[in-house]
Amino acid sequence: MSKIISHSLFTDFDISLFKAGKHFRLYEKLGSHLIEVNGEQGVYFAVWAPSAQSVSVIGDFNSWNGNECQLEVRWDSSGIWEGFIPGVQKGAVYKYRIRSFNNNALTEKTDPFSLYCEHPPQTASIVWDLDYKWKDDKWMKSRKDTNALDKPYSVYEVHLGSWKRHQAEDRFLTYRELAEDLVNYVKETGFTHVELMPVMEYPYDPSWGYQLVGYFAPTSRFGTPQDFMYLVDKLHQAGIGVILDWVPSHFPDDGHGLGYFDGSNLYEHPDRRKGYHPDWKSLVFNYGRNEVRAFLISNAIFWLQHYHADGLRVDAVASMLYLDYSREEGGWEPNIFGGRENLDAVSFLKEFNEAVYTNFEGVQTIAEESTAFPMVSRPTFQGGLGFGMKWMMGWMHDTLQYFKRETIYRKYHQNDLTFSMTYAFSENFMLPISHDEVVHGKYSVLGRMPGDEWQQFANLRLLYGYMFTHPGAKLLFMGSEFGQRREWNFAGSLDWHLLESKFNSGIKNVITDLNALYKLNPAMHEKQFSPEGFEWISYDDHQNAVLAFIRKGNNVKGDVIVVCNFTPVVRTDYRIGLPRKGKLVQIFNSDDERYGGSGVTNEAKIKIDKEEYHGKPFSASLVLPPLGVIAFKIS
């Protein structure tokens, strides 16, 4: 193997941008790059390690000898070490051996910008490229319209390792196998998007991917980077958007990772009150350090550019925003104004969103933010954080709490359902029933439902009907769409055999039809984030536990009338007020026998009477099925 050759991909402008925290394509410079120098093929290596006294590239090409390929530090005080090693080829395995100035400690680190990593528990980086011929031009050209906020946004949340396993070999499905099975399934059930729990390389399976080490590398558990591109490509060709879970909130302290990278607190905040998560026992990024901000925003841009992601769901935003998040009194320090907001993190999130929306059309950023922090999904020029959407955690908590109750007591808790409408349009909300709600002793969604088997499934159909007709985008975790009874287990497959049951297959049919209802009726999505898109008919019938409302779009003739009966009692001759004359045509009934329901229904067309009711000039008499939701249009 040849000795290392001095070479740089950095210009002076690159360095100035990097130091200022404004270089958002660092992956084009840092990391390992297959290039040609002076007619020789090889790999250029570059790593940021300002507190190192020496940095070597060790790998299978030099027998892991730390003396042979020592990088040179740049003269410009950027802290970047770099060099070109002739003869190194794609597939070479390597690490950085770093000797620290601080204590002369010697560590071996994974490349923070590696494109591909060894299969855990192995921890080395792999020289790779991003060559791939995409076939999703049609999707990418139409994405700006498809992903707009006035379009349907129904998300299927997936953990790739446990969605389905290869039965004969008892192993994960590969990215390419998922590109057949998962794509066909999502298309069949009608979801508009998938959200993939973190696919970036992570060392520890029970973290579900939320403890990242390889921020630029899709996990090798399921194949190569090109295999993952193939999966995204196939989803796009099927008309399905791809949201990636993104974790800029923390990272593990594994010895080969970002923690104490060059012998100093390089990526993590040096103050443990800001740099350590007591809940997750992980490290927190230093959002006030320019180079760290550039690293994180470059990472977001990378997945949108090279993997054609259509959105980023940002994990644990609340933990970033608050200095006292999950900390005891005395375990945090107020900001310069005496408040508890992490001003560096607030600034970082705004800059991240500005960079994403400036560089890409037709993408969305989504915040998992569990507090009342204001204007999370409002533009930064209005003083907001700049996200496209925010998870509606309050709706999720109140709704699941309501559905857990025995139906006889629900009349005392109607406010659990109606309260969400008092703040539903303060943000662009996505209604989530996510993986977090079906683990850690919380039971599955079905397992929360009261009553006998029939009532449990009827309640589940009612919950989903209420969810899909409520304003906002939707998200449902895998397995919930067919009523999996046990909690999610990351180490196993979903219980696909349950689809042999009429009740479970009925739930899947409900979700398929609700997705169609949501997509095909503009009133269900055109104004889903605007108060103009919703009107109560009746919210105060506590005694019967009934809600009735109207979903509105741009055309009044497309309005959808929704009535929910949250008890197992059939309500006959139940009158509701209506805004105009005509006939009511039923377009959905969660009690349909096809779904496992009892088949209580209304006539095909229901006469609308000129009789004032609920403050409306017209009204009609309906039959409300037990534990059911019904939807109508006026013809």
Side-chain angles (χ1 to χ4, degrees), residues 419-430:
F419 180 66
S420 65
M421 292 312 304
T422 66
Y423 65 95
F425 305 109
S426 62
E427 301 275 5
N428 297 334
F429 278 120
M430 174 178 283

Side-chain angles (χ1 to χ4, degrees), residues 565-582:
N565 175 14
F566 295 95
T567 74
V569 179
V570 177
R571 310 286 179 192
T572 58
D573 194 22
Y574 190 93
R575 186 163 292 273
I576 64 166
L578 294 167
R580 57 192 178 89
K581 62 182 179 180

Side-chain angles (χ1 to χ4, degrees), residues 22 293 297 321 343 345-358 365 373-389 427-428:
K22 303 297 181 183
R293 292 165 72 105
I297 295 175
L321 292 174
L343 300 180
V346 171
S347 170
F348 161 73
L349 288 169
K350 289 181 178 182
E351 189 171 24
F352 149 72
N353 279 309
E354 289 170 354
V356 167
Y357 284 106
T358 298
T365 61
F373 194 94
M375 302 180 70
V376 171
S377 58
R378 295 293 179 262
T380 57
F381 65 81
Q382 293 180 356
L385 289 183
F387 285 93
M389 284 179 264
E427 301 275 5
N428 297 334

